[in-house]
Amino acid sequence: MKQVAQNYRSGELAVLDVPAPACKPGGVLVRSLFSLISTGTEMMKVSEARMSLIGKARARPDQVRKLLDAVSQQGAVATYQKAMNRLDSYTPLGYSLCGVVVEVGAGAEQFSVGQVVAAAGNEFALHAEVNWVPVNLCVPVPAGVAPEHAAFATVGAIAMQGVRRAEASLGETACVIGLGLIGQLAVRLLVASGVQVVGLDTVEARCRAAEKAGALACAVPDDAGIAQIESVLHERTGGLGADHVLLAAGGDSNRPVEVAARLARDRARIVDIGKTKLDLPWNAYYDKELEVRFS
C-alpha cells in the first residue's frame, strides 16, 4: 500500500510502498477516504527536518536531553550511530482522517465492516491507504456528514478540548491568539457558547475570517493592533481585560505569552493549545495571579 513519509535528516517527503497493517484485537482496519494535512503541525515537522543538525537540536531540546542521557549510558560512538540511523529513517505523517472500516478486530465489535468512521492519532491515522486504529481513537461518522468534513474531527476535538480547559461561561470574554485552523475552530466554539471573542493573528485574512465567524474584533499583533484589541476589551469589560486567553499560536517567539498577560484580567486563565514558546514573564503573571493550563 502507499504511505506518505518523511526523512527527518534530509527533509525529503516520499510516497512509500509499505506492507498493509494486520487487524489486531482492540481496533479496526480503516481504508482512507480523506486524510487531513495539518498546515500547523505537519509544516512544523517539514521545516524542522530541513534545518541543520544544530537547528534540529535547538528546535527539539527534549530530544537533546535524551541524547545526553544515552551518551552517559551507551557511550558517544554508539549513541551517535543510533541517532544518525534514526534521523535517516522515514517517519510516517498524518493524524486525522475519515475512512471505511474493512475489518474488525476482537473487542471492537461496536464497529462493522463498511461503516464510515473518523480516526485520530499520529501513530494510527496516517497518510496511508489503510490504517489500524484502536477503538478509543475511532468514532462513527453521523449520517449526513460528508467524509471530507469528518476528516477534520481530530483538529475539532483539539480546539474543543482547549475551550473546555478554559471553562469559559456565557457572557465572559476570551482572546484567541493565533487564528490558524485550531484558532478558527476555537473562535466558533466560543461564540457558540455565548462568549465574547477577540483575536490576534499575523495574517489579515485570518482576522477577517474570525470576525465573519462572530468575533468582535481581530487584528495583527503589532502595537496598533494590540491597542485596538485592548480598546475593545476595555469597552466590553469595564477596563478589566479578558477572562480567558487561548494560545493557539506556534513558533519560537515569546511574544504571544507576553501579549496574553497584557490582555488578561486579574486571575484570568491562559490555555496553551498550540506549541508556542512559554518563557513566562514572571512579574506580569505573578502580579495578576494568572492561571496557566495546558490542553
Side-chain angles (χ1 to χ4, degrees), residues 218-243:
C218 297
V220 173
D222 54 19
D223 291 341
I226 293 172
Q228 177 193 347
I229 298 303
E230 277 186 314
S231 176
V232 174
L233 286 172
H234 187 278
E235 177 186 350
R236 295 284 177 158
T237 68
L240 296 176
D243 300 296

Side-chain angles (χ1 to χ4, degrees), residues 144-212:
V145 176
E148 57 265 40
H149 296 163
F152 283 78
T154 306
V155 289
I158 293 169
M160 183 169 65
Q161 176 65 3
V163 171
R164 285 176 171 170
R165 291 289 290 153
E167 296 183 39
S169 300
L170 180 70
E172 290 187 323
T173 57
C175 177
V176 179
I177 299 180
L179 297 171
L181 181 54
I182 299 295
Q184 294 289 341
L185 291 170
V187 167
R188 285 156 174 76
L189 290 167
L190 288 164
V191 170
S193 302
V195 178
Q196 302 179 92
V197 183
V198 295
L200 291 166
D201 195 277
T202 56
V203 180
E204 282 276 3
R206 294 176 178 176
C207 295
R208 305 294 78 81
E211 290 175 344
K212 187 176 180 180

